[in-house]
């Protein structure tokens, strides 16, 4: 079985994190988001991949090279993002036989991917409470009869999870007309498949579309929560590590540090002295958490530095972010309402009572900077000492 993994998109809803990196390459625990999809497919028996790349494609190619865990990887370039069917069509020259299509910015239940491949032709589905907001599967006799987009009266509570296994003939059905959105949709290929074959719905116990920054936090909460305790780096005798904490080889945890898992300290990263890390927190490669710093339920990407006397809560710090001493992140509104965040120019609810800030690569704060909840700062933004930042930049 070959698998086409869609990893060409920019991820505009994830801005500013995707200003300098494609969304599928954002970190989730010990690997990029798309690598979780690839690894789940390998575990399920996929023996060849085609990764469809486009925006900042070098990041994907440099990470994977020509294979993953011994499984060959080919690449197809989608130069114009014109929909999911168009993306798969760029990989057509590599397709022979049945093939899977998976989204590189989704997290899948690995067991369900295995069932999906065994049930070809098939479609992944999730049970939802509000199916009218989704593409909904109409089923009968254990097969999919149709897929209905955002129906007023949903036939089932099974929503399309964006994971498919198509028969060989579907490679010739990819030239579909534009939809009302102006895109060539893979669901039109699915409709043709349903007409010609019995398509099996495979219900996934756990699935996540990682589209917005707070969903990247949720993805890390999921994957960090699955890890086992592992201490391979240098850990001071008077540091206190409880729960499922991973300290990779080459990482350092200094004296007086308290880490409450799940947490991951990646190779080259350092924590302490006298720092406190809690919640589902990722300290990525080369990142640094210094003296008297508290980090709670956050992601610090590669080479980010929170030097000393600072607080980071429910936040995402991009690569090479540098916090001046005493920088404080606010992560709670005084009215106790869910924190809002700007997505594609509109303020939307994160549905999270606690949510801090999202800082792009290279942001630098002056000493004693205060950051309001739900703000984002663009790449290379700087703040002045003592500044209170209330709005996006």
């Amino acid at each position: 079985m070959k698998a086409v993994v869609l990893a060409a998109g920019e991820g505009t809803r994830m801005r500013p994190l995707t200003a300098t990196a494609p969304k599928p390459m954002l970190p989730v625990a010990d690997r990029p988001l798309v690598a979780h999809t690839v690894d789940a497919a390998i575990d399920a028996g996929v023996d060849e991949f085609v990764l469809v790349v486009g925006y900042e494609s070098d990041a994907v190619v440099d990470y994977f090279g020509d294979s993953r865990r011994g499984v060959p990887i080919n690449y197809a370039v989608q130069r114009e993002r014109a929909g999911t069917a168009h993306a798969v069509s760029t990989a057509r020259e590599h397709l022979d036989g049945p093939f899977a299509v998976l989204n590189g910015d989704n997290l899948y239940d690995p067991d369900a991917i295995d069932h999906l491949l065994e049930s070809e032709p098939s479609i992944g589905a999730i049970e939802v409470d509000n199916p009218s907001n989704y593409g909904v599967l109409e089923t009968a006799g254990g097969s999919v009869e149709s897929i209905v987009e955002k129906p007023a009266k949903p036939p089932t509570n099974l929503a399309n999870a964006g994971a498919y296994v198509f028969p060989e003939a579907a490679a010739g059905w990819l030239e579909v007309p534009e939809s009302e959105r102006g895109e060539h949709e893979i669901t039109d290929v699915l409709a043709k498949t349903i007409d010609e074959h019995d398509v099996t719905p495979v219900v996934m116990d756990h699935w996540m579309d990682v589209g917005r920054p707070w969903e990247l936090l949720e993805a890390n909460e999921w994957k960090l929560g699955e890890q086992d305790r592992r201490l391979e780096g240098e850990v001071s005798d008077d540091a206190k590590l409880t729960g499922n904490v991973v300290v990779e080889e080459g990482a350092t945890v200094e004296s007086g540090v308290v880490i409450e898992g799940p947490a991951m300290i990646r190779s080259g990263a350092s924590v302490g002295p006298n720092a406190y890390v809690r919640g589902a927190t990722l300290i990525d490669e080369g990142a640094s958490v210094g003296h008297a710093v508290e980090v709670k339920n956050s992601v610090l990407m590669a080479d980010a530095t929170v030097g000393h006397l600072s607080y980071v809560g429910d936040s995402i710090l991009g690569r090479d972010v540098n916090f001046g001493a005493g920088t404080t992140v606010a992560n709670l509104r005084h009215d106790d309402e869910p924190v809002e965040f700007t997505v594609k120019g509109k303020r939307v609810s994160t549905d999270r009572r606690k949510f801090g800030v999202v800082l792009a690569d290279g942001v630098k704060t002056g000493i004693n900077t205060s950051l309001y909840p739900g703000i984002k700062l663009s790449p290379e933004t700087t703040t002045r000492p003592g500044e209170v930042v209330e709005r996006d930049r």
Side-chain angles (χ1 to χ4, degrees):
M1 178 73 70
K2 291 185 179 181
V4 179
V5 178
L6 306 183
E10 176 182 346
T12 54
R13 293 183 302 158
M14 195 66 81
R15 287 275 184 162
L17 300 173
T18 53
T20 51
K23 180 172 63 171
M25 292 302 294
L26 295 176
V28 176
D30 62 345
R31 69 199 85 163
L33 174 58
V34 64
H36 288 276
T37 299
V38 171
D39 286 337
I42 291 173
D43 292 342
V46 165
D47 52 20
E48 188 173 340
F49 288 94
V50 185
L51 299 190
V52 179
V53 296
Y55 176 71
E56 296 288 345
S57 60
D58 287 350
V60 181
V61 176
D62 290 347
Y63 180 84
F64 285 102
D66 59 6
S67 66
R68 174 79 169 175
R69 293 165 52 190
V71 177
I73 293 178
N74 298 298
Y75 296 92
V77 179
Q78 187 186 25
R79 302 192 186 282
E80 176 189 4
R81 259 68 78 194
T84 46
H86 178 263
V88 178
S89 72
T90 66
R92 187 161 39 200
E93 66 178 287
H94 300 287
L95 301 179
D96 50 49
F99 60 96
V101 176
L102 303 170
N103 285 319
D105 56 0
N106 290 174
L107 288 179
Y108 300 99
D109 173 8
D111 290 340
I113 297 296
D114 189 55
H115 189 191
L116 192 77
L117 299 186
E118 292 175 348
S119 304
E120 175 266 322
S122 55
I123 178 173
I126 53 168
E127 295 179 337
V128 295
D129 294 330
N130 50 345
S132 293
N133 294 334
Y134 299 87
V136 178
L137 306 185
E138 182 179 4
T139 62
S143 296
V144 179
E145 294 280 292
S146 66
I147 181 168
V148 188
E149 286 297 326
K150 300 182 178 179
K153 295 182 178 180
T156 68
N157 68 337
L158 297 179
N160 179 8
Y164 315 91
V165 178
F166 289 106
E168 181 176 12
W173 302 338
L174 296 168
E175 300 297 332
V176 296
E178 284 189 355
S179 67
E180 292 180 358
R181 299 194 305 170
E183 296 186 352
H184 303 277
E185 310 276 4
I186 197 69
T187 48
D188 289 336
V189 182
L190 175 65
K192 174 72 170 175
T193 306
I194 291 170
D195 288 343
E196 301 283 341
H197 297 265
D198 289 333
V199 176
T200 302
V202 175
V203 179
M204 298 182 168
D205 292 333
H206 205 170
W207 170 89
M208 183 182 295
D209 178 15
V210 186
R212 298 168 297 184
W214 56 94
E215 289 160 349
L216 185 65
L217 286 184
E218 292 174 20
N220 274 278
E221 289 163 6
W222 173 1
K223 291 303 178 181
L224 291 173
E226 290 183 340
Q227 68 189 3
D228 295 323
R229 183 179 174 93
R230 177 164 48 90
L231 306 180
E232 297 174 342
E234 183 179 342
V235 179
S236 172
D237 290 340
D238 65 354
K240 183 179 180 181
L241 280 58
T242 59
N244 291 334
V245 176
V246 171
V247 180
E248 291 186 342
E249 184 177 356
T252 302
V253 177
E254 299 186 22
S255 63
V257 169
V258 175
I259 301 177
E260 298 172 357
M264 173 170 281
I265 317 301
R266 300 218 56 205
S267 180
S270 63
V271 180
N274 305 315
Y276 182 24
V277 176
R278 61 191 176 98
T281 290
L282 169 64
I283 311 297
D284 210 344
E285 293 180 346
S288 176
V289 175
H291 169 66
V293 169
E294 180 177 352
V295 179
K296 175 248 179 184
N297 204 83
S298 294
V299 172
L300 275 61
M301 294 190 191
D303 300 311
T305 298
V306 183
H308 44 290
L309 304 168
S310 295
Y311 174 75
V312 181
D314 303 277
S315 297
I316 303 170
L317 276 54
R319 296 172 296 181
D320 296 303
V321 166
N322 192 305
F323 269 21
T327 296
T328 301
V329 172
N331 62 344
L332 179 69
R333 289 170 46 147
H334 283 174
D335 61 8
D336 227 24
E337 291 297 313
V339 175
E340 294 183 339
F341 188 80
T342 303
V343 177
K344 301 182 75 170
K346 295 182 180 180
R347 294 295 284 182
V348 300
S349 175
T350 64
D351 294 322
R352 293 176 73 105
R353 179 172 171 267
K354 291 190 175 183
F355 186 69
V357 299
V358 178
L359 308 187
D361 295 353
V363 168
K364 293 180 173 58
T365 67
I367 61 170
N368 298 321
T369 292
S370 297
L371 303 172
Y372 267 40
I375 68 164
K376 59 182 175 182
L377 300 182
S378 301
E380 308 298 331
T381 297
T382 60
T383 70
R384 299 185 304 274
E387 187 172 0
V388 177
V389 182
E390 303 179 41
R391 298 183 182 278
D392 298 344
R393 296 183 184 173

